[in-house]
């Protein structure tokens, strides 16, 4: 069969058009995967002012400058973090909806709640560990105790009369109180709040006897003398407040209940976005100015790999699962 020059020219034109179309399609695909194109929201599962909110706003401020798009912090408190976490778990895995994960959401609530509307591990993509802070046991100054030993003696003399507050059922702050009850045998009643904005005024006014809070959240009030700190829940004293003894050194060896925070995305986030977000997080938290600011407030920033975060979540899930099993606590969402 003889191929004429006209046919050759026609084939050449067709191939050129196909090549152009392929290139255009490839370029369109690239533009469709460009991130970010719109506002990013970071969901915080507690009220403003606490450690998770502080971290979210640090990330938002830095990213807004470097990415050139709005980065919004959205507070969705309730049910120990479950309300906000559920919102993120059911969002599109496109990098535009993120969560400040907590030890409560990802390692405690799964054992504490009878039913969950999301899976605390499988429904999320780990991005990076953010920071940790000791919890601190603070009391109303009129309670008349100056150390942990005196508090325990008072609690034993008044079973179920003293109360301890936390920022929600299932949080590490709640578990700190449960751990205190388990290790000392005291009977104190738990009063859950949606966040520090409600619990701290009640502590100062004397409506509750004591409160477990993140050290970073209560530090300014402690230094101002408005509330009295009895002990931090880390195994070592905090550099931000070295004058506050640990619970362990006051007769409760092994007492440890640290609050930690992470950055999470919905499950099935594309790996390139996971890497991009991890890099952004590391860059922000490793800035000297940011790091010093967080350390001064009682937060210890330590961004890391998604794999390291996954291992931590599994380890903490096993630890708190045992505590909850021993306590017999169960809740319905």
């Amino acid at each position: 069969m003889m191929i004429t020059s006209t046919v050759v020219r026609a084939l050449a034109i067709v191939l050129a058009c196909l090549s152009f179309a392929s290139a255009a399609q490839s370029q369109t695909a690239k533009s469709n995967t460009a991130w970010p194109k719109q506002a990013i929201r970071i969901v915080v599962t507690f009220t403003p002012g606490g450690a998770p909110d502080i971290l979210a706003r640090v990330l938002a401020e830095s990213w807004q400058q470097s990415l050139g798009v709005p980065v919004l912090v959205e507070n969705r408190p309730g049910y120990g973090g479950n309300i906000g976490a559920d919102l993120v778990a059911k969002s599109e895995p496109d990098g535009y909806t993120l969560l400040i994960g907590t030890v409560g959401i990802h390692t405690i609530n799964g054992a504490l709640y009878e039913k969950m509307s999301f899976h605390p591990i499988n429904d999320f993509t780990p991005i990076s560990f953010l920071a940790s802070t000791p919890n601190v046991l603070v009391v109303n100054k009129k309670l008349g105790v100056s150390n942990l030993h005196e508090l325990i003696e008072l609690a034993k003399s008044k079973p179920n009369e003293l109360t301890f507050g936390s920022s929600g059922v299932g949080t590490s702050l709640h578990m700190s109180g449960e751990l205190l009850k388990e290790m000392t045998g005291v009977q104190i009643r738990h009063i859950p709040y949606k966040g520090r904005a409600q619990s701290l005024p009640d502590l100062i006014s004397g409506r509750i006897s004591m409160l477990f809070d993140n050290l970073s959240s209560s530090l300014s009030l402690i230094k101002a003398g408005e509330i009295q700190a009895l002990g931090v829940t880390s195994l070592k004293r905090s550099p931000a407040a070295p004058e506050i003894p640990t619970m362990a050194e006051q007769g409760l060896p092994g007492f440890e209940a640290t609050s930690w925070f992470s950055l999470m995305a919905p499950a099935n986030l594309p790996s390139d976005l996971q890497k991009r977000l991890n890099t952004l997080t590391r860059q922000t938290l490793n800035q000297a100015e940011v790091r010093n600011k967080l350390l001064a407030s009682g937060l210890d920033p330590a961004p890391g790999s998604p794999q390291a975060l996954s291992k931590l979540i599994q380890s903490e899930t096993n630890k708190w699962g045992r505590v909850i099993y021993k306590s017999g606590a169960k809740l319905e969402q």
Side-chain angles (χ1 to χ4, degrees), residues 160-183:
N160 288 315
E161 289 188 32
L162 301 188
T163 54
F164 79 95
S166 77
S167 61
V169 174
T171 61
S172 72
L173 307 174
H174 173 206
M175 290 297 106
S176 295
E178 294 299 330
L179 194 58
L180 176 65
K181 289 163 63 177
E182 180 189 329
M183 294 183 72

Side-chain angles (χ1 to χ4, degrees), residues 70-286:
V71 183
L72 312 173
V73 176
E74 186 174 323
N75 297 88
R76 289 292 188 99
Y79 287 100
N82 286 354
I83 289 178
D86 179 76
L87 183 155
V88 175
K90 292 179 170 59
S91 298
E92 288 296 318
D94 53 13
Y96 293 109
T97 302
L98 305 170
L99 174 73
I100 300 296
T102 69
V103 59
I105 294 168
H106 301 292
T107 74
I108 294 172
N109 290 359
L112 188 61
Y113 286 86
E114 291 281 2
K115 293 181 180 180
M116 297 271 286
S117 59
F118 61 91
H119 193 285
I121 297 177
N122 297 343
D123 286 345
F124 297 93
T125 299
I127 303 298
S128 174
F129 186 90
L130 295 178
S132 60
T133 182
N135 299 329
V136 61
L137 174 60
V138 288
V139 299
N140 179 281
K141 297 193 74 172
K142 295 179 181 178
L143 196 60
V145 298
S146 59
N147 56 54
L148 181 61
H149 176 73
E150 292 177 358
L151 176 66
I152 293 170
E153 290 301 309
L154 179 63
K156 286 182 176 179
S157 70
K158 297 181 177 182
N160 288 315
E161 289 188 32
L162 301 188
T163 54
F164 79 95
S166 77
S167 61
V169 174
T171 61
S172 72
L173 307 174
H174 173 206
M175 290 297 106
S176 295
E178 294 299 330
L179 194 58
L180 176 65
K181 289 163 63 177
E182 180 189 329
M183 294 183 72
T184 63
V186 297
Q187 298 176 46
I188 51 178
R189 292 183 291 116
H190 177 223
I191 309 295
Y193 292 84
K194 284 188 176 181
R196 68 187 297 273
Q198 294 79 32
S199 61
L200 280 167
D202 277 6
L203 176 68
I204 294 170
S205 68
R207 289 183 180 176
I208 55 175
S209 313
M210 67 195 85
L211 172 71
F212 280 95
D213 194 16
N214 298 144
L215 178 61
S216 56
S217 300
S218 283
L219 193 55
S220 61
L221 291 174
I222 294 169
K223 290 186 175 181
E226 294 190 48
I227 54 179
Q228 183 169 353
L230 297 189
V232 292
T233 63
S234 51
L235 294 178
K236 295 181 179 180
R237 296 193 183 198
S238 169
E243 70 280 5
I244 304 175
T246 68
M247 305 283 278
E249 68 185 90
Q250 297 182 81
L252 298 179
F255 192 107
E256 183 180 21
T258 301
S259 289
W260 52 260
F261 310 96
S262 62
L263 186 65
M264 310 290 280
N268 302 314
L269 183 76
S271 60
D272 60 328
L273 283 180
Q274 183 187 36
K275 291 176 183 176
R276 180 85 187 278
L277 284 163
N278 180 271
T279 298
L280 283 168
T281 302
R282 287 171 180 258
Q283 288 173 344
T284 298
L285 297 186
N286 284 330

